[in-house]
Amino acid sequence: MSEVFDRTLDIESAAPLHREAARREAHLLVALECDRPTALSTRHRLGQGGSVVLGRGTARTATRVPDHRATKLELKIPDPRMSSVHARLDGALGRWKITDQGSKNGVRVNGQPVREQDLADGDVVELGHTMLLYEESQHGEDADDVDLAQIEPLAPGLGTLVPGLLSDFDKLTRLSPTGVAVLVQGETGTGKELAARALHTLSGRSGKFVSVNSGAIPHALLESELFGSAKGAFSGAVGDRTGLIRSADRGTFFLDEIGDLPLASQAAFLRVLQEQRVRPVGGTDAVSVDIRLVSATNRNVESMVREGKFRDDLFARIAGFRMTLPPLRERRADLGLLVGALLSRIAPERAGRITLSVEAARILYSYRFPLNVRELESWLTTAVALAGDAPIRPEHFPEPLTLGEEQGSDDDDSVEAESSPRPLTPEQHAHRETVLALLREHHGNVSAVARAAGKARNQIQRWLRRYSLDPDDYR
């Protein structure tokens, strides 16, 4: 027995354990309406127990019956394929069960029809043409019912229903009028530049937003591109060039992939930040510049500092405030919100008329998006073009959405295949990362991974064997 329980805990010593257990709460999200994908998502706190009745209404509404002991909530959704009383959720001690109330079109959980089922964290519930998401997440300070359609967005790119990310966006907003340098970290495609543009919009700075990817500029040209150059500084320099940093004077300078900045250029860039002056390559006089710096990277800059690959003094300058944008697989609560926002950007003149089939929505919620929001935008762009005026269906999505499926029978687990593994293709490498992320997210629980992926448990076991992954390593 663990030494923690070798003695009876008094009230004070037991309190932290109780608070930790109580910190997680159940929430239900109206995540995506297939017939109205640009309708923004809603989030509803379920708490530890009570009941929720879900059904069709003329408008989307959330009505609570006052009760300090338990949730009593009625959710109405304008989905013609839902019954007036379609399903019911009942909860006790933090565990929730969904029951079909004799609906015409039934209830599905993770794509499978059910009459009654206990819900697990991350389950996707289908009622008619509406996708709902059940989550057990950290307790937040938000209201019991949050409808993004009734909240004025801070700036494009700063909408979210993820509590931790919402807190970071709030801090970013409060920092916007200051000159604090911001470092945005996260995987490729998570929307780091979008967050930087939002910060610039909120800052009210009169200058331009200038975006530069340091990894895309040859090292030999990097300093002249950033700092500008004087006439005759090098072969081909036929005139003075302002440089990208000075182009952002009185505005925001966004330096993407700052982790790719060579050490020599790091020293020169640090001098610009310290002195707020830029000396063009080959020039003799420094020019004053007023910039708000936002930098971004998908690399671990702290590790680079420890390894001597990134200057610690520069790191201190760029990281006045640090935030990490989670990968899309960890933002499933925002998937419907992002789909609606992207459709409005892809086809603004007809976004309100675009619809999705429930099968297409099911695919979106079962895929793990290794390339994040950028990949989602690419697929939706293709789907909108192919679907025309018809609903978006699975066949309108690009081929990568089907990657990771077996190219043969599901029961092909021969010993020969396991003892002589073939090299993984790039697509299989991406799929392995998706499975790995699921294992981490669900702490090695294979059944939970299967539910999240919408697959049979034995299919997950086959993937684990093929990719040499041991679920015990993540428990």
Side-chain angles (χ1 to χ4, degrees):
M1 181 180 291
S2 169
E3 64 179 9
V4 173
F5 298 105
D6 283 346
R7 58 183 175 84
T8 301
L9 295 174
D10 58 32
I11 292 175
E12 290 301 318
S13 59
L17 296 176
H18 173 73
R19 285 197 296 268
E20 183 65 30
R23 199 171 293 145
R24 293 187 68 82
E25 284 194 338
H27 291 78
L28 185 69
L29 285 73
V30 181
L32 177 65
E33 295 181 43
C34 297
D35 295 337
R36 302 191 310 150
T38 56
L40 299 178
S41 308
T42 66
R43 184 184 191 96
H44 308 277
R45 180 179 286 126
L46 301 183
Q48 297 298 306
S51 62
V52 181
V53 177
L54 302 115
R56 184 184 69 248
T58 56
R60 195 166 60 188
T61 59
T63 306
R64 288 183 182 266
V65 176
D67 190 323
H68 68 281
R69 293 171 300 179
T71 295
K72 290 189 176 180
L73 173 64
E74 183 179 47
L75 283 179
K76 293 292 187 181
I77 301 168
D79 181 343
R81 292 174 179 80
M82 286 176 63
S83 300
S84 57
V85 177
H86 197 109
R88 178 186 173 97
L89 269 67
D90 292 285
L93 300 176
R95 301 180 67 86
W96 287 81
K97 175 180 67 177
I98 190 165
T99 306
D100 189 347
Q101 298 293 287
S103 65
K104 180 177 180 180
N105 292 312
V107 174
R108 287 177 178 263
V109 176
N110 300 324
Q112 302 302 313
V114 301
R115 297 294 299 174
E116 179 179 287
Q117 181 165 313
D118 290 337
L119 294 177
D121 184 26
D123 279 349
V124 178
V125 177
E126 297 175 28
L127 306 181
H129 273 197
T130 300
M131 314 297 287
L132 300 100
L133 184 64
Y134 174 83
E135 283 194 339
E136 296 170 0
S137 57
Q138 295 294 323
H139 173 71
E141 299 301 322
D142 56 330
D144 286 342
D145 303 292
V146 178
D147 187 342
L148 291 179
Q150 299 177 7
I151 300 174
E152 187 69 26
L154 299 171
L158 297 189
T160 182
L161 284 171
V162 179
L165 187 57
L166 183 62
S167 175
D168 278 344
F169 283 167
D170 178 64
K171 293 174 185 175
L172 198 67
T173 302
R174 285 185 279 139
L175 288 170
S176 61
T178 73
V180 173
V182 174
L183 174 62
V184 186
Q185 297 173 282
E187 294 180 8
T188 298
T190 50
K192 297 186 288 293
E193 182 170 343
L194 198 60
R197 287 184 180 275
L199 181 64
H200 174 69
T201 299
L202 292 169
S203 73
R205 293 179 68 86
S206 61
K208 295 191 299 184
F209 177 89
V210 176
S211 174
V212 180
N213 186 329
S214 61
I217 303 175
H219 289 181
L221 301 177
L222 187 59
E223 293 193 19
S224 63
E225 290 292 319
L226 294 179
F227 310 136
S229 58
K231 180 179 179 180
F234 49 83
S235 177
V238 295
D240 293 338
R241 296 182 68 246
T242 299
L244 294 167
I245 291 178
R246 286 174 60 194
S247 297
D249 189 34
R250 298 186 303 279
T252 300
F253 182 68
F254 175 61
L255 185 58
D256 199 4
E257 302 305 343
I258 195 169
D260 293 338
L261 206 61
L263 279 170
S265 299
Q266 289 177 30
F269 188 55
L270 174 62
R271 187 167 59 249
V272 171
L273 297 180
Q274 288 174 331
E275 300 174 359
Q276 290 287 290
R277 295 172 68 83
V278 178
R279 179 176 285 106
V281 174
T284 56
D285 298 324
V287 180
S288 295
V289 65
D290 171 20
I291 60 168
R292 168 68 172 279
L293 175 67
V294 182
S295 47
T297 182
N298 60 8
R299 303 174 68 178
N300 188 328
V301 184
E302 289 178 292
S303 295
M304 294 178 67
V305 170
R306 290 192 294 270
E307 296 165 4
K309 298 177 181 179
F310 199 91
R311 294 178 62 107
D312 55 357
D313 46 5
L314 177 57
F315 180 66
R317 282 278 177 178
I318 66 173
F321 174 70
R322 281 187 288 166
M323 65 173 291
T324 299
L325 289 178
L328 186 51
R329 61 184 173 273
E330 297 176 10
R331 289 184 66 183
R332 296 178 81 216
D334 288 340
L335 183 58
L337 165 68
L338 292 168
V339 167
L342 290 170
L343 289 176
S344 295
R345 190 162 76 190
I346 293 165
E349 71 289 345
R350 61 186 184 95
R353 302 193 302 274
I354 295 174
T355 62
L356 288 84
S357 70
V358 72
E359 294 82 8
R362 192 179 301 153
I363 287 177
L364 291 177
Y365 276 94
S366 64
Y367 188 61
R368 304 305 291 179
F369 293 99
L371 302 181
N372 297 301
V373 181
R374 187 175 298 161
E375 188 174 20
L376 174 63
E377 181 174 14
S378 173
W379 291 338
L380 289 175
T381 301
T382 301
V384 166
L386 292 177
D389 293 329
I392 293 173
R393 301 189 57 79
E395 58 265 27
H396 299 136
F397 289 133
E399 187 65 23
L401 279 172
T402 63
L403 292 175
E405 301 296 338
E406 287 289 333
Q407 296 298 316
S409 172
D410 267 358
D411 54 11
D412 180 17
D413 335 303
S414 66
V415 174
E416 179 182 351
E418 291 186 36
S419 60
S420 304
R422 291 169 292 179
L424 299 181
T425 66
E427 293 82 5
Q428 289 170 328
H429 273 296
H431 183 248
R432 184 184 188 278
E433 289 302 307
T434 298
V435 175
L436 185 59
L438 277 169
L439 278 175
R440 289 172 176 153
E441 181 181 346
H442 296 283
H443 308 291
N445 186 323
V446 176
S447 296
V449 170
R451 284 195 299 269
K455 297 293 178 183
R457 195 175 188 277
N458 59 358
Q459 176 64 64
I460 302 300
Q461 295 283 15
R462 278 193 285 274
W463 286 342
L464 296 180
R465 286 194 295 272
R466 182 190 313 144
Y467 298 143
S468 301
L469 296 173
D470 185 349
D472 288 339
D473 293 340
Y474 305 93
R475 287 176 179 148

